[in-house]
Amino acid sequence: MSQRVSRVNRRRFLGTAAKASAVFAAPMFIPGAVLGKDGGVAANERIALAGLGIGPRGTYVLGCFMEEPVVQFVAIADVRQDRREATKQKAEAKYGPGVKTYRDFREMLPREDIDAVLIATGDRWHTPASVQVARAGKDIYCEKPCSMTIAESQSLADTMRRYGRIYQAGTQRRSVANFIFAKQLCDTGKLGKLTAVHANTLHPGTAHDWLPAQPEPPKEEVDWDLWLGPTPWRPFNQQYVNGGWRGFFDFHGGGILEWGAHTVDLCNWAGTNDERMPTLYEPTPSGCIATYDDGLKLVMRDQDWMGLGTCSVRYEGEDGWVETGDTGRLEFSSGQLRGEQRQFQEEGTSAVSHVKNFLESVKTRRPAHSNAEVVARSHIICHAAYIAWQLGRPLKFDPVSVEFIDDDEANRMRSRPLREPWTI
Amino acid sequence: MSAFRVSIVMLAVAAGVTPCSAQTNSKEVMAKESAELIKILESEQSPLFDKAKACQRLAVVGDKNAVPALVRLLPDETLNLYARFGLEGIRDPAAAQALRNAARELQGRPLAGVLGSLGQIRDEESVALLTEMLNQEDSLIANSAAAALGKIGSTTAAESLQAALAKNARAQTAIADACIVCADALAAAGKNDEANALLDALSQVELPPHVQIAALKGRFAILRDDGQDLLIEQLSSTDDARFNLGLAVMRDMSAEGLAKKLADRLKDLSPSRQALLLLALGDRPEGPLPEMLAAASTSDSPELREAAIRVLAKRGDASAAPILLDAALSEGSFAASAQQGLQTLQGKAVDDAIVARLADANPQAKVVLFDLAGVRRIAAATPLVRQALNDSNAEVKAAALNAFAQLAAVNDMDVLLERASASDAAEAAASRQALRTAVLRLGDQETSTRKLTERLTNATPEYRAYLLELLGQMGGSAALKAVVASANSSDAATKDAATRVLGDWPNADAALALLAIAKNDREAKYQIRALRGYLRIARQLQLPAEERLVMFLTAMDVARRDEEKQLAMDVLTRIPSSETLRIAVSFLDDPTVKAAAADAAVKIAPKVLASDAKTVAAAMQKVAGSDVGAELVDRANQLLGQAQSSGR
């Protein structure tokens, strides 16, 4: 765990943000040359998509991609044989034979016919895989959380910038109308000067324990070494592979990051237009209260929400507040604000609009809604909050140098080494 | 079995790891002081797990005294990474020196890991060493050395990378990537000439096109506004990747007058490229030239026209409304974009233009215009919208109704209430949706509630159920009063509908009414429904902890069935404390709820562990000794271990 985080970011991190303007359900912009006479998409103009680690969420998101005529799914890499086969079968049912499978994604990346990769592995792989894919010249839609550490967050943003890749984090609520609407209430001053933004997070804790060792399956069935990838070795246990890796420190960034990747991201977007990060982090028993340099509070808490659905956010200003969540419903502080209300159909978990936004970005090269620069910032906030929570003390943070002030232990927790041969 | 796996198994056996046992004492290990952690590393008796965790803890608290013990673990393929956790964290020259020394001794994966650490700590003193490694035949080592040099990002690192670029074909891509990283670092340090030289070197060798594009992007980052000619070169390229790079770069370039420079070039491009370029210009602060936009907005090319419409919608003022309206009312593929743009384009003149078009609009246009009037909440359109509520064209009528839902004032509710009770099922359904939208939007809750409540008496059962549901969605004390009255009705259908609504009440205000039904109603069906509604409030809604606890105790007292008692246990998990942990455990002796109580206890325990390990230990001991299933017992034992080690 090093103090030496990216120096490049220190200069650029608060520079001009790659802002992406969100709109309500805009139709996707596909250049006309792509469209055939029947309105379909000519085969050679389709976006050739590959999958990397397609489990339950990945299967859903892949389904959203496959609904789009501009997409052609061509390959799947997964360390699990059953998932490779299931994804191949699903894709071939739509596109016909020819979807190739790979156990090791490094064998897939040199393919020049692949334009973009959907990454839906476990969290530990999100940054290292994104970096590898970007270095191979592909665009990326990657599930959240996007990083395991502050240093990974910086490296992710740096790599996407250097390689000019389109990156969309799976923080789809940035493309869901009720969350956009709540943010617009902040932008248009309907709430007055913002005083606090609240993010629905989960209990932060993770465990350092190991599950009991079990016999390792054959590599072709589950490649355990590749499953572990950049994380420290530990004995095999099927529970990890079945999704039970959550809650273990080596594989998981904790409950603040788990939902904060969405909700802290939304709050930073609404509260600062993605331009700033808090400078003070004060842990609470089950979350953290962070404060920006202008006094705006970012409250990360796991309870006392109004029942508007998972991943709720609440924006409070001097003239009123709004709260919303995954149901699409909104609550307001006053009848006057309620008059602003619109009806929203898309649930917060839906990736439909977010996938469309990504595909449009691939074609237009406009930064996607959840581009690497903005999500790196919100992820750093989550990581900083979790570090404060682990240490059990308030931490001051310099957003320019991306360092904690006068706290060596906290600074050491900003990065973790990667198991060889992985680098970011 | 690979040599790697053999070494792990042997190490595990030597370290006394039993293959089937879980390792759950991490908190115990990680609570130790630095000196004790070092002892763990030095002892041959220490289990592998303890060594691993000691390394991870030393990453945070270790100092130079830990370096020798950590370095000794580097040759081991399993512990190499754990040791590097410790060594990367120690900010002392001794750690860097030890890593350099180790690199001379190691090979294979452990060596690759150490090289990675030297890069991570940006150890400039290791450049010579890494340069040697860069030229090794083993691509794992050469790649790792290249990545490390890239991260170090110094002048000497750049020289090494540049020299190796043409020499080591096997690691060339990794070296090229390192060059890009290194150039970025040099530029960040103000060494633009050195950065440029390194990027130039990349163009001299044969590399995959995307790497060349990345190098080019690096050059743009250095050139900034001076890169305009280079930008025009990319935008004129027949290569899609270069053209795409140009699109991305021009969005970031702050130079003014770029649109003018590009104007001539634009004409020579294909319509698709013109469209993309126009969109990119639209994202720049200065935007495209007005004449460029005007020409595109009347182009024969649908895609170019769509791009123009999008830019106008994003950047335009009210003067763009006529163009957007023409497009929105056309049958072109760009109509949807124009309609979407008109939803957000600011200005009263836009509203006026929309209303003016309504005057002589055909049915198809009316559908679009009513939709816009509703979304934009154009009050001036209300008379026309109201008039169209009985239009003979079904689509126009539906669009008018939707718009009316967005425009109606509280006095207009009567119109919707009448229509919502229509005998025509389709009309009633559409009107009810509109009424719901209007009511939830309207700020005057008192009047809305009164109007809905007045209709309850003479409503058909089915309409009454709808009105009750709507009152429930509105919330508020007057609405609650009306629904509670219906819940006590002698009419079965009314009572059924009202108790359902109470069970889903949006806040805790309904708790007392639900409790009264749960306790006093004569029918079990309503008692159960009400108690479950009461528990929903206790489990899910915003409440002070004390109130939640009282609701739990009350529910346990009132519940007649095991199912509700088990459900109630979940309330305790919302208020984790030593007290609620003790309460949960006190139910372990009750066979009907013991599993739910154990489940609640193991969920509460981790949240209390840090503040009250003693209570957690006692509670988990009791859970572990109960007949509540292997999974809960295992979890309790894990927590018991943690509590006991915390207490030491």
Side-chain angles (χ1 to χ4, degrees):
Chain A
M1 302 192 189
S2 167
Q3 300 279 358
R4 293 88 165 175
V5 291
S6 164
R7 77 188 84 183
V8 175
N9 264 334
R10 292 178 189 179
R11 181 169 63 87
R12 295 192 173 128
F13 223 78
L14 292 181
T16 308
K19 292 192 194 77
S21 59
V23 290
F24 291 104
M28 198 195 310
F29 183 85
I30 301 296
V34 171
L35 300 173
K37 283 179 185 165
D38 57 355
V41 178
N44 62 343
E45 294 289 353
R46 289 185 197 155
I47 295 169
L49 180 75
L52 204 173
I54 303 295
R57 177 67 186 173
T59 300
Y60 163 71
V61 177
L62 177 57
C64 296
F65 273 102
M66 285 170 50
E67 285 295 311
E68 300 298 335
V70 76
V71 169
Q72 170 96 31
F73 189 78
V74 296
I76 167 67
D78 200 304
V79 297
R80 282 177 59 164
Q81 186 178 35
D82 56 345
R83 289 189 170 170
R84 287 196 293 276
E85 294 304 324
T87 304
K88 176 185 168 75
Q89 203 174 354
K90 178 186 164 89
E92 290 190 339
K94 181 176 176 77
Y95 300 108
V99 173
K100 195 160 181 205
T101 61
Y102 301 85
R103 179 176 52 77
D104 188 335
F105 72 93
R106 288 170 292 189
E107 291 166 19
M108 179 176 79
L109 292 186
R111 276 180 58 169
E112 289 182 6
D113 64 327
I114 294 172
D115 300 307
V117 179
L118 163 63
I119 300 173
T121 56
D123 302 355
R124 68 201 174 282
W125 262 116
H126 287 167
T127 293
S130 295
V131 167
Q132 297 284 327
V133 172
R135 285 176 182 165
K138 325 291 187 203
D139 294 326
I140 296 146
Y141 185 109
C142 181
E143 265 309 309
K144 48 66 61 177
C146 309
S147 63
M148 295 287 289
T149 63
I150 287 175
E152 280 196 358
S153 310
Q154 293 177 281
S155 179
L156 180 73
D158 283 343
T159 304
M160 298 307 142
R161 173 179 53 77
R162 287 182 195 126
Y163 276 85
R165 300 326 311 170
I166 295 296
Y167 176 92
Q168 177 86 299
T171 52
Q172 71 279 350
R173 289 167 182 86
R174 277 188 184 243
S175 301
V176 173
N178 61 304
F179 292 103
I180 296 170
F181 175 71
K183 192 240 190 252
Q184 287 175 340
L185 289 179
C186 303
D187 292 348
T188 52
K190 296 271 168 45
L191 306 179
K193 185 182 179 226
L194 282 185
T195 54
V197 286
H198 296 247
N200 189 176
T201 50
L202 301 174
H203 193 272
T206 54
H208 283 267
D209 299 336
W210 288 355
L211 292 172
Q214 291 176 345
E216 238 177 82
K219 203 171 194 171
E220 214 27 52
E221 201 175 297
V222 178
D223 187 335
W224 178 236
D225 187 49
L226 200 51
W227 188 96
L228 285 168
T231 58
W233 180 88
R234 65 172 58 198
F236 174 82
N237 185 292
Q238 187 67 36
Q239 184 181 314
Y240 301 125
V241 179
N242 290 347
W245 48 265
R246 285 188 177 78
F248 291 97
F249 176 83
D250 288 343
F251 306 139
H252 191 228
I256 291 178
L257 181 68
E258 179 67 51
W259 276 15
H262 290 295
T263 58
V264 169
D265 184 61
L266 290 169
C267 283
N268 201 47
W269 183 39
T272 78
N273 220 14
D274 293 318
E275 286 173 356
R276 293 185 289 138
M277 290 189 274
T279 51
L280 175 65
Y281 296 80
E282 297 172 285
T284 64
S286 61
C288 184
I289 298 174
T291 309
Y292 293 88
D293 52 9
D294 63 351
L296 176 68
K297 300 277 181 194
L298 166 52
V299 183
M300 293 161 253
R301 57 183 166 91
D302 66 344
Q303 49 193 309
D304 295 331
W305 293 90
M306 300 182 79
L308 300 176
T310 45
C311 284
S312 286
V313 289
R314 179 184 175 99
Y315 307 141
E316 295 175 348
E318 289 176 348
D319 299 337
W321 54 259
V322 61
E323 184 168 325
T324 192
D326 279 347
T327 58
R329 290 189 286 119
L330 298 111
E331 288 288 343
F332 303 91
S333 55
S334 68
Q336 195 182 354
L337 276 173
R338 185 185 256 209
E340 298 288 330
Q341 175 147 263
R342 304 290 196 273
Q343 300 292 303
F344 302 112
Q345 307 301 325
E346 191 173 8
E347 289 189 356
T349 51
S350 164
V352 172
S353 299
H354 210 50
V355 163
K356 285 179 193 288
N357 171 254
F358 170 70
L359 295 171
E360 181 173 306
S361 292
V362 170
K363 288 291 181 188
T364 64
R365 311 315 289 175
R366 173 186 283 162
H369 288 168
S370 297
N371 61 72
E373 188 173 346
V374 299
V375 297
R377 210 163 284 148
S378 56
H379 279 58
I380 287 173
I381 297 170
C382 294
H383 293 307
Y386 184 39
I387 290 170
W389 189 86
Q390 289 173 87
L391 292 172
R393 58 178 178 256
L395 296 175
K396 288 182 185 166
F397 186 72
D398 179 350
V400 178
S401 65
V402 199
E403 287 177 339
F404 295 100
I405 299 167
D406 298 331
D407 198 311
D408 182 49
E409 287 187 358
N411 278 325
R412 289 182 182 209
M413 296 165 83
R414 290 177 303 152
S415 69
R416 304 179 194 178
L418 270 56
R419 199 161 63 108
E420 66 291 341
W422 304 104
T423 57
I424 54 170
Chain B
M1 188 181 277
S2 69
F4 178 49
R5 297 289 314 127
V6 169
S7 77
I8 288 165
V9 172
M10 286 175 66
L11 206 152
V13 171
V17 176
T18 49
C20 59
S21 65
Q23 298 291 338
T24 59
N25 60 326
S26 60
K27 282 200 171 176
E28 183 185 348
V29 175
M30 298 178 93
K32 292 182 188 301
E33 298 294 327
S34 183
E36 288 179 280
L37 295 168
I38 295 169
K39 278 184 196 164
I40 290 174
L41 300 188
E42 287 172 338
S43 167
E44 290 184 7
Q45 305 306 314
S46 299
L48 168 68
F49 176 80
D50 289 15
K51 287 188 176 181
K53 297 299 129 181
C55 289
Q56 287 183 305
R57 182 61 184 154
L58 283 166
V60 180
V61 300
D63 59 19
K64 65 178 180 183
N65 295 322
V67 170
L70 287 164
V71 166
R72 271 195 289 277
L73 303 178
L74 286 173
D76 182 271
E77 290 199 357
T78 306
L79 286 169
N80 174 276
L81 176 62
Y82 288 105
R84 291 195 286 117
F85 264 85
L87 289 165
E88 286 187 18
I90 295 170
R91 300 182 79 191
D92 190 284
Q97 182 63 55
L99 283 165
R100 288 194 294 273
N101 293 345
R104 298 278 181 203
E105 307 293 325
L106 298 171
Q107 52 188 343
R109 286 181 69 152
L111 172 57
V114 167
L115 300 183
S117 288
L118 287 168
Q120 181 61 26
I121 64 172
R122 296 188 167 84
D123 178 44
E124 295 201 22
E125 290 185 43
S126 66
V127 170
L129 167 76
L130 290 166
T131 304
E132 282 175 44
M133 301 290 177
L134 188 59
N135 295 313
Q136 280 206 5
E137 282 203 8
D138 182 346
S139 58
L140 170 67
I141 302 306
N143 289 351
S144 301
L149 285 165
K151 283 188 177 176
I152 290 168
S154 64
T155 302
T156 49
E159 286 166 0
S160 294
L161 287 167
Q162 191 172 338
L165 192 58
K167 281 196 283 184
N168 190 340
R170 208 174 303 173
Q172 196 174 53
T173 305
I175 294 170
D177 179 67
C179 287
I180 289 164
V181 175
C182 188
D184 203 17
L186 290 168
K191 299 176 181 175
N192 285 351
D193 291 344
E194 291 174 28
N196 256 328
L198 195 53
L199 294 170
D200 276 347
L202 290 173
S203 65
Q204 308 301 315
V205 291
E206 200 166 322
L207 290 165
H210 67 271
V211 181
Q212 293 291 7
I213 291 290
L216 205 45
K217 184 132 196 314
R219 291 190 62 192
F220 276 113
I222 295 164
L223 288 168
R224 295 174 181 254
D225 285 358
D226 293 336
Q228 291 181 56
D229 290 341
L230 189 60
L231 172 64
I232 289 171
E233 194 183 319
Q234 307 316 310
L235 292 170
S236 307
S237 168
T238 53
D239 178 36
D240 283 343
R242 288 181 182 268
F243 179 77
N244 284 342
L245 173 67
L247 293 176
V249 166
M250 65 186 282
R251 286 187 165 95
D252 291 337
M253 198 175 269
S254 58
E256 288 180 12
L258 196 56
K260 202 171 178 183
K261 280 195 172 180
L262 289 170
D264 288 340
R265 302 278 172 172
L266 192 68
K267 288 180 230 153
D268 301 331
L269 300 174
S270 69
S272 280
R273 284 197 166 188
Q274 284 188 46
L276 291 167
L277 194 60
L278 197 59
L279 286 173
L281 282 169
D283 289 341
R284 290 175 47 78
E286 61 181 359
L289 297 177
E291 56 268 30
M292 193 187 280
L293 200 50
S297 66
T298 54
S299 164
D300 291 337
S301 158
E303 60 201 313
L304 188 50
R305 214 169 150 186
E306 167 141 15
I309 285 161
R310 284 176 173 246
V311 174
L312 277 172
K314 183 182 171 188
R315 311 181 54 92
D317 53 26
S319 66
I323 297 174
L324 291 175
L325 274 167
D326 285 345
L329 301 178
S330 76
E331 292 182 355
S333 57
F334 38 77
S337 290
Q339 290 162 20
Q340 196 273 332
L342 282 164
Q343 290 178 9
T344 49
L345 191 67
Q346 298 292 307
K348 183 176 176 299
V350 184
D351 294 349
D352 293 345
I354 290 168
V355 175
R357 296 275 179 130
L358 265 170
D360 57 354
N362 63 31
Q364 201 181 344
K366 277 185 181 170
V367 170
V368 174
L369 294 166
F370 281 145
D371 182 54
L372 288 170
V375 171
R376 294 180 65 89
R377 304 252 169 94
I378 306 174
T382 309
L384 290 168
V385 168
R386 195 182 284 117
Q387 200 179 324
L389 289 174
N390 294 313
D391 200 285
S392 58
N393 181 300
E395 287 181 20
V396 172
K397 190 172 162 181
L401 190 60
N402 286 338
F404 195 60
Q406 299 295 342
L407 294 167
V410 75
N411 290 334
D412 293 317
M413 272 183 65
D414 292 331
V415 176
L416 289 170
L417 280 162
E418 278 304 317
R419 298 172 74 99
S421 62
S423 54
D424 181 324
E427 176 160 343
S431 300
R432 286 177 190 183
Q433 181 56 42
L435 178 60
R436 189 188 310 277
T437 302
V439 162
L440 294 178
R441 174 180 59 79
L442 287 167
D444 187 352
Q445 198 172 24
E446 190 182 332
T447 309
S448 302
T449 303
R450 181 171 50 74
K451 283 180 179 288
L452 292 176
T453 309
E454 282 168 2
R455 299 270 168 165
L456 280 173
T457 314
N458 296 322
T460 62
E462 181 258 344
Y463 187 39
R464 189 180 297 127
Y466 162 78
L467 291 170
L468 287 166
E469 190 188 327
L470 194 47
L471 284 165
Q473 287 172 344
M474 289 178 64
S477 57
L480 179 61
K481 194 175 165 191
V483 176
V484 169
S486 295
N488 291 313
S489 165
S490 56
D491 177 68
T494 303
K495 184 170 184 152
D496 188 60
T499 50
R500 281 183 198 283
V501 170
L502 277 179
D504 286 331
W505 202 257
N507 57 38
D509 294 350
L512 287 178
L514 286 164
L515 183 61
I517 296 168
K519 283 163 77 170
N520 304 326
D521 203 278
R522 279 174 294 183
E523 287 190 60
K525 176 173 96 169
Y526 297 123
Q527 290 171 1
I528 293 166
R529 182 182 293 169
L531 185 56
R532 293 183 86 88
Y534 182 78
L535 284 168
R536 183 187 73 87
I537 292 171
R539 290 164 62 218
Q540 296 176 11
L541 302 191
Q542 196 168 2
L543 286 172
E546 304 76 31
E547 207 168 309
R548 216 183 287 280
L549 183 56
V550 169
M551 288 182 76
F552 162 77
L553 295 169
T554 307
M556 291 301 285
D557 190 39
V558 172
R560 294 171 178 82
R561 303 193 316 161
D562 298 343
E563 288 92 328
E564 281 71 44
K565 287 181 183 172
Q566 289 159 7
L567 193 60
M569 285 296 161
D570 189 52
V571 177
L572 294 175
T573 65
R574 293 292 313 272
I575 38 175
S577 68
S578 300
E579 183 188 8
T580 53
L581 181 56
R582 278 191 288 267
I583 292 171
V585 167
S586 73
F587 284 94
L588 285 172
D589 299 327
D590 181 343
T592 62
V593 293
K594 65 182 179 186
D599 186 60
V602 300
K603 284 178 179 162
I604 295 168
K607 299 176 181 176
V608 183
L609 193 57
S611 59
D612 190 358
K614 196 174 162 188
T615 299
V616 170
M620 292 303 102
Q621 204 151 25
K622 185 154 186 197
V623 174
S626 303
D627 178 21
V628 290
E631 199 176 320
L632 286 168
V633 168
D634 282 352
R635 182 72 186 126
N637 276 323
Q638 278 181 24
L639 288 160
L640 178 59
Q642 289 175 18
Q644 286 170 339
S645 49
S646 297
R648 280 175 200 163

